[in-house]
Amino acid sequence: MVFQLLPEREPVEIRGGATGPLVPFVVPLEATEMFIRVIALWHDNRPLVGRAPTFELKSGRDGRLTAVDTGTGKVEIREIEGDLAAVAEVRRLPVDSYLVTLSGLRENPGPWHLRITNNDAETLRFAWVSSYREQETWQPWMVLERATAPQDGLLALHGESPETVITVRNRGTAPLTIDDPPGTRLGSEQSPVVLRRRPASIAPHDTDELVVECGRVSFADRFSHTFDTNDVNRAHTTLSFEVLPASSAYDSWDDGPAFCRACGRCPDYVPPPLDVGGPCGTCGHRGAQHFDVPPDHRNA
């Protein structure tokens, strides 16, 4: 990987007329140029297209902070001793994106820092990608809404409930593509949660929706699914689920028992593959617990 997506957790929120924090970024030893592609986020599905921000760059721990604006041409970035560290230039791109170019980099002049001033009246959130290859600064940033149980980071679904909508945001600088086909079972092939609809692509700034459906659930379970996308950060593309029975006040389904009733094990139990790790399809007990379940115990 030859790029950094910054900031690491959340975009930097900067009020109108305010200046954000100094954020470090890596300049590899072999780099002779660096590119920083910045996006200014406003409302979902709506760029502001307002006043361009001011970018300040610093080389070295005690280097001088030098402001660079769009349309001002090339600006020299110097270290504290006055030595030239690089030449910077900012170009405004469509829909509130900006490309900062550092050329003529000295060998190992770091650490480097970036600071942004929001020159607009509206509060904006800024995210950026830095790389010594310009094409690598085109990167999506997938954000999955975790609803219904935010304290655990879980999306809670009840068996045979209506379809559930999951909001997907793209905070990055490139379109986000989602390749899981509709009909995919999320988590494992035995999962009750099925992907029903998904967008093929989400543009920067924009949001769209995933639609999932949970089938019959006879026992509570938790699992995660990592979506197949062009966002290489698995933490961005992984969503955790909790599935719950529609009601715990039942003894059995019409097509057979939901739980062990006569003894401490299910005679039809077959351990799932190691990469699945799911519970017994007949009684709902996990493999580690299956042989130590009291008779008539409900795993609800």
Side-chain angles (χ1 to χ4, degrees):
M1 188 184 302
V2 296
F3 68 89
Q4 271 189 295
L5 179 57
L6 297 166
E8 292 183 355
R9 290 188 175 88
E10 295 286 332
V12 172
E13 184 173 282
I14 306 176
R15 299 189 308 275
T19 298
L22 273 173
V23 179
F25 63 95
V26 175
V27 175
L29 291 176
E30 67 271 22
T32 58
E33 289 184 299
M34 283 294 294
F35 303 92
I36 307 171
R37 193 175 300 272
V38 183
I39 187 165
L41 305 166
W42 191 36
H43 296 316
D44 287 347
N45 301 320
R46 186 179 175 189
L48 179 62
V49 196
R51 295 185 61 190
T54 295
F55 301 94
E56 292 178 283
L57 293 153
K58 185 178 80 165
S59 170
R61 298 186 185 281
D62 301 315
R64 305 172 185 175
L65 264 173
T66 303
V68 187
D69 290 288
T70 59
T72 59
K74 296 182 178 181
V75 176
E76 294 181 345
I77 310 297
R78 294 190 175 273
E79 299 182 45
I80 190 66
E81 300 86 358
D83 295 331
L84 183 65
V87 175
E89 187 173 15
V90 179
R91 181 160 55 96
R92 184 165 190 165
L93 308 173
V95 291
D96 286 357
S97 292
Y98 305 86
L99 183 64
V100 182
T101 302
L102 294 172
S103 57
L105 284 164
R106 283 188 55 199
E107 184 177 351
N108 196 23
W112 279 85
H113 291 79
L114 173 71
R115 188 166 76 176
I116 300 174
T117 296
N118 178 11
N119 294 320
D120 210 284
E122 300 286 347
T123 296
L124 297 170
R125 293 171 301 136
F126 293 87
W128 58 94
V129 185
S130 65
S131 177
Y132 61 87
R133 300 176 183 171
E134 182 182 353
Q135 66 270 25
E136 293 289 336
T137 62
W138 295 99
Q139 297 295 333
W141 183 346
M142 185 179 191
V143 180
L144 291 162
E145 180 183 75
R146 287 164 169 80
T148 72
Q151 69 276 9
D152 294 327
L154 297 169
L155 178 63
L157 303 175
H158 287 80
E160 299 186 295
S161 61
E163 292 180 338
T164 299
V165 174
I166 303 169
T167 300
V168 185
R169 292 177 172 83
N170 181 9
R171 293 174 175 168
T173 59
L176 170 70
T177 58
I178 303 172
D179 296 322
D180 300 73
T184 298
R185 291 192 176 272
L186 305 186
S188 73
E189 293 182 0
Q190 290 75 36
S191 172
V193 181
V194 178
L195 178 65
R196 293 302 182 197
R197 294 190 296 279
R198 55 94 168 137
S201 179
I202 304 175
H205 295 282
D206 284 359
T207 66
D208 213 311
E209 296 175 342
L210 299 171
V211 178
V212 300
E213 186 176 38
C214 185
R216 176 176 291 182
V217 175
S218 58
F219 50 86
D221 194 19
R222 293 184 176 187
F223 58 88
S224 297
H225 180 79
T226 300
F227 289 91
D228 183 11
T229 80
N230 61 334
D231 184 339
V232 299
N233 190 326
R234 289 176 61 89
H236 294 170
T237 62
T238 300
L239 186 61
S240 297
F241 294 85
E242 181 178 41
V243 293
L244 302 167
S247 171
S248 59
Y250 58 83
D251 291 329
S252 66
W253 297 111
D254 294 339
D255 55 357
F259 302 101
C260 298
R261 301 297 296 154
C263 66
R265 68 162 64 183
C266 168
D268 298 324
Y269 176 71
V270 176
L274 293 177
D275 60 339
V276 174
C280 174
T282 301
C283 68
H285 299 137
R286 289 191 172 276
Q289 305 167 326
H290 197 270
F291 298 104
D292 189 30
V293 179
D296 205 30
H297 183 272
R298 295 178 181 272
N299 185 27

